[in-house]
Structures are given as C-alpha cells and as structure tokens.
Amino acid sequence: MKILLYSGHLNWIYKSGVGRALRHQRRALEDAGVPYTTDPKDDYDIVHINTIFPSSYLLAKRAHRKGKRVVYHAHSTQEDFRNSFLFSNQVAPLFKKWISACYRTGDLILTPTPYSKSLLEGYGLDRPIVSVSNGIDLSYFDRAQADGARFREKYGIKDGEKVIISVGLFLERKGILEFVDMAKRLPQYRFIWFGETDLKTVPAAVRRAVRTQLPNLTFAGYVESDALRDAYAGCDLYWFPTHEETEGIVLLEALAMRAPTLIRAIPIYEGWLRHGANIYKGSTQEGFQKLIGDIVEKRVPNLTGAAYEVAQERSIHEIGRQLRRQYESLLTQSQPQRLPVLGTSNL
C-alpha cells in the first residue's frame, strides 16, 4: 500500500491550516509506517487530496481512470468560507457547489471533527464521511522544548506584564475585530496576533483593524513553528475568538503546550471542550473581558492539565493509526461504479 499525499499549489496554502494539516499527515504516516509520496508521477494505490483547486479535482478524475482510490480531505465548508475574504459571503453558495463537486470525487471523505462531518452530511454528497482529527505532534509541541523567556524578550514584554496571544489569518471569521477591540478595552495587557493575510483580499473593517495603532497591540505576522512554540510557552493566555472552524490546529497546539486557553462557545467545540472542566469559553465581548482578567490574574482554576489530555487524544501517533485503518479498509472494498460528479448543470 502506497499513498500519494497531494495538496496542489503548496506554496499558496503552506501558511494556512491546510498546510499544517498536510505536514501532520506526513508525520502521522511516517509514525504508522505507511509508505507515501508527494509526487503524482510516482506509483501509488490511494491518492489523499487536501486542496480544492481545479488541479486537485482533475487529479482525482485521472486517478479513477487509472483504477486508483481517492480519499478527499474536507478541510473547508461553506460555513467557514463565510466572513473571510472579499465577497466571500456573496459567492459562498457557488463555493459550496464547487467543494461538493470536489468531495464527490472521493471514494471516502475525511473531515477533522464530528461537527464538520454533520455539516457535510447536509450537503447530499452521497459518499462515506469519516471524522479524523488533523492531529497534533506532541513530540514537537512540548513545553519542555520551548523558551517562553525568549518570546517575552523578543517582543519587549516587561517582567510581570500580562500578554494575550492569538494565531490566525487576518479574517473576520477568526475574531480579529474582537481581538483589536479587546486590546482597546484592556490597555493594561499586551495583545499579540500571529499570522497574516494580504490586506487587499479582506474587507475594509479587517484592514482598519490591522492598521490600528495601539501601544499594547502587535501584529507579529507569520512566524515559523519554533517561534510560535515559544509564544505559547511565554504567554499568559491563548485566546481563540474564532466564529467558525472545522477543527482549529492552532488550538490543539496551544492545548499541547499547556497554555491557558479561552475560546468562543461555538457548536464545533461542544462535547469535547467543556467550559470550566478542560477549557474556558465565552460568547460576548463583555464575557470575554471578564474571563481574560480572571484567567491572567489567576482568579479561576488552571485547566491546562485537563486540556492537555484533549491534545493527547489527538496525537499524531493515534491519527496515523486511524489513517492506516481507513486506507486499508478502502482497498478491501470493491471498486464502485462512478457517475459524473460535475457538469454545467451542477454549476
């Protein structure tokens, strides 16, 4: 059994969650002893596709013509496409039709969480859909390997000063407007946002937020994993105010690094992340403001130990085992008769 891990235009998605997911898949397959290639010209038994570009769709069609099996990884939904780039809300219905056409080329659809699985089941895809976490590399995101003091020195954080970080693209969906607003509300704390997006591609409100000049607000841009690991270790709070996700790999990183963490109470985290048990959740700016103060000033219990157990359940080792099982099961099934999945009537 040999797997082709395909992303298409890797340079476009390297800094995104999909790019992180692909890197996690490589490590997971290595850990599970599953041979793989990233070269479509190599021989393979299954192609595991992670992107929704036209080249990805065409590769899936070619693979079927060659008698290969296709696993399509559904990292995107119409719901998390909304409130992202310019005109994303207007074109979201067309985006849903396109991703549905891509996903239907899969003999099996993988998606990171039961929540995203439930969304896709409502799309009428007529393909098996299985939830497999993107996973987290606990051997890398290990607090013992990080240097929180180096992070604090780099960004000029004074002794005793409290710092709140977040990680994500410059998207309204990610909660960047709320992050900037909170920096205004709490001038006594430092706020640092890691990640970036071309400002020409986002709405005016996001551009204004990123250009906000505050003495306690820093937009650090994209940083490599080593620097981000230091930030998780050196912060007083990781705040993830996102409104919609299919999982949130950066959240798993923060949990693995035992960073005190605050998230928005949204459906995706129901069931596995519980307020006051293994994480803190808020839903309004007023609620977040109080929770931020309570967490950084240690007026509420530290939940990082319980949160770490959530990350352990999604370790790269476990994800590799799950992927192997899905691949092996797919290869034992008879080749289905496939109908056309995309035509002018679909668009």
Side-chain angles (χ1 to χ4, degrees), residues 255 261 271-281 303-304 306-308 310:
L255 301 186
T261 301
W272 57 290
L273 291 172
R274 301 180 304 280
H275 177 69
N278 55 20
I279 206 158
Y280 288 105
K281 297 182 182 181
L303 304 178
T304 57
Y308 182 77
V310 175

Side-chain angles (χ1 to χ4, degrees), residues 52-341:
I52 54 173
F53 301 118
S55 59
S56 303
Y57 172 83
L58 294 173
L59 176 66
K61 302 291 283 182
R62 288 197 301 272
H64 281 303
R65 288 196 294 269
K66 295 177 180 178
K68 311 292 186 182
R69 298 305 180 90
V70 176
V71 172
Y72 222 114
H73 216 119
H75 295 287
S76 300
T77 65
Q78 175 184 235
E79 288 75 9
D80 75 2
F81 181 71
R82 292 183 180 278
N83 298 314
S84 53
F85 301 98
L86 281 171
F87 309 114
S88 60
N89 290 2
Q90 292 89 331
V91 303
L94 184 60
F95 179 79
K96 178 182 177 181
K97 290 183 178 181
W98 170 248
I99 62 174
S100 295
C102 290
Y103 298 160
R104 287 192 189 101
T105 65
D107 299 296
L108 170 68
I109 299 170
L110 298 182
T111 194
T113 56
Y115 170 75
S116 56
K117 178 177 184 289
S118 70
L119 293 179
L120 295 171
E121 287 172 341
Y123 289 10
L125 298 174
D126 192 29
R127 297 289 187 271
I129 305 173
V130 175
S131 169
V132 177
S133 171
N134 288 311
I136 182 67
D137 187 349
L138 296 177
S139 67
Y140 180 83
F141 285 99
D142 176 0
R143 196 175 182 93
Q145 297 191 47
D147 190 340
R150 179 167 54 201
F151 155 72
R152 296 179 74 89
E153 180 180 359
K154 178 177 180 179
Y155 292 96
I157 302 164
K158 303 180 181 68
D159 289 344
E161 188 176 16
K162 308 297 185 181
V163 58
I164 294 95
I165 70 166
S166 196
V167 184
L169 300 175
F170 293 158
L171 304 179
E172 183 177 348
R173 170 176 66 84
K174 293 289 186 180
I176 194 167
L177 302 185
E178 291 90 339
F179 191 83
V180 172
D181 174 67
M182 195 61 67
K184 295 175 182 177
R185 290 171 179 244
L186 298 172
Q188 69 271 36
Y189 300 144
R190 284 285 302 276
F191 288 78
I192 302 177
W193 183 285
F194 293 93
E196 62 188 3
T197 304
D198 186 344
L199 291 180
K200 294 191 293 294
T201 67
V202 296
V206 175
R207 294 197 297 272
R208 286 195 298 270
V210 174
R211 290 167 178 159
T212 299
Q213 299 293 316
L214 294 172
N216 66 325
L217 175 64
T218 301
F219 288 101
Y222 175 81
V223 299
E224 294 295 340
S225 295
D226 285 1
L228 195 54
R229 185 172 57 181
D230 288 348
Y232 290 131
C235 72
D236 294 282
L237 175 67
Y238 173 72
W239 181 29
F240 195 44
T242 183
H243 293 264
E244 183 71 29
E245 295 291 324
T246 54
E247 184 171 42
I249 293 177
V250 291
L251 173 59
L252 297 183
E253 292 172 354
L255 301 186
M257 290 297 298
R258 303 175 190 264
T261 301
L262 172 63
I263 62 174
R264 188 178 300 277
I266 53 178
I268 186 174
Y269 299 126
E270 291 176 2
W272 57 290
L273 291 172
R274 301 180 304 280
H275 177 69
N278 55 20
I279 206 158
Y280 288 105
K281 297 182 182 181
S283 56
T284 66
Q285 281 296 84
E286 291 71 24
F288 280 131
Q289 183 173 343
K290 182 179 186 306
L291 282 165
I292 288 171
D294 287 345
I295 295 168
V296 302
E297 302 297 345
K298 298 180 171 55
R299 293 191 290 262
V300 292
N302 186 313
L303 304 178
T304 57
Y308 182 77
E309 293 177 5
V310 175
Q312 283 182 308
E313 294 169 357
R314 291 156 179 80
S315 70
I316 287 292
H317 176 71
E318 175 57 29
I319 301 313
R321 292 173 56 195
Q322 292 182 31
L323 290 175
R324 174 184 274 277
R325 285 198 298 268
Q326 295 301 327
Y327 296 150
E328 290 175 342
S329 175
L330 187 59
L331 287 176
T332 63
Q333 300 170 14
S334 58
Q335 188 74 269
Q337 181 179 2
R338 305 193 62 83
L339 298 175
V341 296

